[in-house]
Amino acid sequence: MKKSKLFLILALVLSMAVGLGGTLAYLTDTDEAVNVMTLGNVQIKQIELQRAEGVDYNNGGELLELGELVPFQQGKALYPAYPVVGADDPYQAAKSDNEGNTELLKWGPYVTADNPTGGAGNGLWNDSKLKGVMDKFVFVENTGTSDAYFRTWFAFECPEGISIGDSAETGKHQIEINGNDHGQTHVDVNYKWEYMGEAEIDGVRYHIECATYNRNNGVLPAGEIARPSLLQVVMSHHATNEDVALLGETYEILTFTQAVQTNNFENAEQALTAAFGEATVENNPWKGEGNEPKIPALVSTAAELKTEMAKGGTVVLTEDIVLGAEDDAIEVPAGVNTTLVLNGRKISQQKAQTDVYAMIDNKGTLTITGEGTVSYADTTVYTADINYASNTIRNTGVLNIEGGVIENASSDNVRNYGYPHAIDVYEGSVTNITGGVVKSANYDSIRMFCNSVTKVTEVNISGGEIVNRITFQNPDNNYNTPGYGRLNISGGNFTTTDRVNANVRLLNFSKDFSNMKATITGGTFDKGVKTQNYTNVTVTMADWLTVKNVTINEVE
């Protein structure tokens, strides 16, 4: 498995040892496409947070009400911790005694059989007694309208010679976990924790555990956030230089949440087993080849991006990436399935073209999700009309746009003499747009070039925003060749700039247009649909287009 490129740190830990501190690389991100799997009519989000800078451990009250949580920060330095002198058992002593200790930051109160009046809930280690603790608050939010059962899997990197567990057991583990007893089955009011065993994932040995939500009979109601499962991680002061060397440059924790609807099931275990199989080490969500999810690749450079996109799997941006003018297209080869998680970042390129070009050339299956931007601009100074298509994405495979902004930012000069598109769609391909924004600074945000008489070129739009025109066309300059295309619009918001007078253009270059069919059953449109015909055969909008359950204008 490729590790993140992070620095080694040399740290003096009082008089106990000189330790090489690694950094904590947490290979999940805030985008649910990476770390969530659902079955049935449920929608959940896995949330990973930490306390804001300057918030200490000596606050009472409900943490979620304090407004002191921020997204978890990747790549923080992880030093061996050390206890304050005089604390006999700093790990145990620093934790809540579940009897209303208001000096500890907590999620509480909650009621148990032994504590009918409620107590402090999940206590955090107190850094007045234990230094070097890393916050790792893992929440699950039910963002849908249906109640859900869920379980969250954890894989803690665990090379041979490294011990992982809860300090209540021995206090001698190199990696200590706060939240529940680890390394054994344990049930509390919030979760049933089960130790699965050790498993190899992409060549790295991990300690696998599974936490099944137990509060409220395991039901997480719609709109609510569950109590956190994992709370904190620390490299114990028992860790030696040799132990740290075993962990390498980074320490990796993987998480994954599975959720299913509560309808027709008696309890969480029954429902989750039916949906995803029994919780065993062999059935962990990172198991074997050909099973999803794959461990995501974190990329921060153009070279890494091109390599990982071509390999397939989930690719997560950790930095903005600018492709140079000399860089060739990012390619997803035929037969490769790649999910690009933008993660709030931007991929961009400015390039002068001398031929047809696309910044991303998808020949396989490409899914783009998360917030962020994919932007391309042709900088050529054209002086005459040419047929150079300058594309942000060229699709000849399967393209799924679920989030982000896909834009073509080419200049007016390119608009006047070239053909810039945010997405250029070719024969036999399928493009599905369910979210995000697709836009062009020029005429066409999407071009459907249906240049096949045997393969259907298909575009399905059910959500998201389309800025500027969709052109749905059969082959040009070959009047006897019919195209074969399907444009299906069932939702989404369609807007245009002043220079564009239609949301959808039906463009005919053939005497046979019988296989070109557009259907609009939903969405909102600020302009409408137009037909342009470049043959001597009469073609009307009704020959191409079926409109149901929506009002859309016919424009000139």
Side-chain angles (χ1 to χ4, degrees), residues 263-493:
N263 296 341
N264 304 319
F265 293 106
E266 294 182 3
N267 55 59
E269 184 175 2
Q270 180 192 77
L272 291 163
T273 299
F276 307 107
E278 188 178 357
T280 64
V281 68
E282 295 81 11
N283 195 37
N284 75 76
W286 304 279
K287 62 183 179 182
E289 294 186 4
N291 293 280
E292 296 294 341
K294 296 293 187 184
I295 296 174
L298 306 182
V299 300
S300 59
T301 68
E304 291 175 345
L305 178 64
K306 293 174 73 172
T307 297
E308 298 299 335
M309 291 278 283
K311 287 167 55 178
T314 299
V315 179
V316 181
L317 299 183
T318 61
E319 301 288 344
D320 292 345
I321 295 177
V322 179
L323 280 75
E326 73 285 352
D327 285 329
D328 295 328
I330 299 168
E331 181 176 314
V332 179
V336 171
N337 189 332
T338 298
T339 296
L340 174 62
V341 181
L342 297 176
N343 195 30
R345 307 296 184 174
K346 182 177 183 178
I347 303 170
S348 61
Q349 184 181 38
Q350 294 185 357
K351 185 180 178 74
Q353 287 312 117
T354 57
D355 203 345
V356 175
Y357 179 75
M359 185 177 76
I360 298 178
D361 190 2
N362 177 51
K363 301 174 182 178
T365 299
L366 172 61
T367 300
I368 298 178
T369 189
E371 296 183 0
T373 303
V374 179
S375 179
Y376 167 74
D378 187 351
T379 59
T380 306
V381 177
Y382 294 115
T383 58
D385 188 28
I386 58 172
N387 289 317
Y388 291 167
S390 298
N391 306 310
T392 307
I393 300 176
R394 181 180 189 265
N395 182 37
T396 56
V398 177
L399 175 64
N400 303 307
I401 304 298
E402 298 178 352
V405 177
I406 314 301
E407 69 174 7
N408 191 304
S410 299
S411 67
D412 281 356
N413 177 267
V414 180
R415 171 180 64 87
N416 292 335
Y417 296 108
Y419 298 90
H421 317 103
I423 301 176
D424 204 7
V425 179
Y426 282 76
E427 63 174 271
S429 64
V430 177
T431 301
N432 302 306
I433 299 174
T434 59
V437 178
V438 180
K439 67 178 183 178
S440 173
N442 303 282
Y443 290 129
D444 288 342
S445 57
I446 301 172
R447 180 180 73 156
M448 293 181 63
F449 189 51
C450 306
N451 55 333
S452 174
V453 297
T454 59
K455 298 178 182 178
V456 177
T457 302
E458 185 175 330
V459 171
N460 304 299
I461 303 173
S462 60
E465 183 178 356
I466 310 299
V467 181
N468 281 338
R469 191 173 60 196
I470 300 172
T471 288
F472 181 32
Q473 72 171 88
N474 47 22
D476 57 348
N477 300 324
N478 190 351
Y479 297 152
N480 293 315
T481 303
Y484 197 176
R486 298 289 183 269
L487 171 61
N488 303 303
I489 299 175
S490 59
N493 184 34

Side-chain angles (χ1 to χ4, degrees), residues 34 62 94 162 190 211 223 260 304 354 458 479 481 488 544 554:
V34 173
E62 288 281 343
I162 296 297
N190 292 322
V260 65
E304 291 175 345
T354 57
E458 185 175 330
Y479 297 152
T481 303
N488 303 303
W544 287 49
E554 182 175 349

Side-chain angles (χ1 to χ4, degrees), residues 52-70:
E53 185 176 357
V55 177
D56 63 28
Y57 285 75
N58 297 313
N59 292 316
E62 288 281 343
L63 182 59
L64 290 177
E65 296 176 359
L66 297 178
E68 297 173 336
L69 296 181
V70 296

Side-chain angles (χ1 to χ4, degrees), residues 95-106 119-120:
K95 295 172 68 173
S96 166
D97 56 12
N98 203 32
E99 294 178 356
N101 185 349
T102 58
E103 294 183 354
L104 298 174
L105 199 60
K106 60 187 183 297

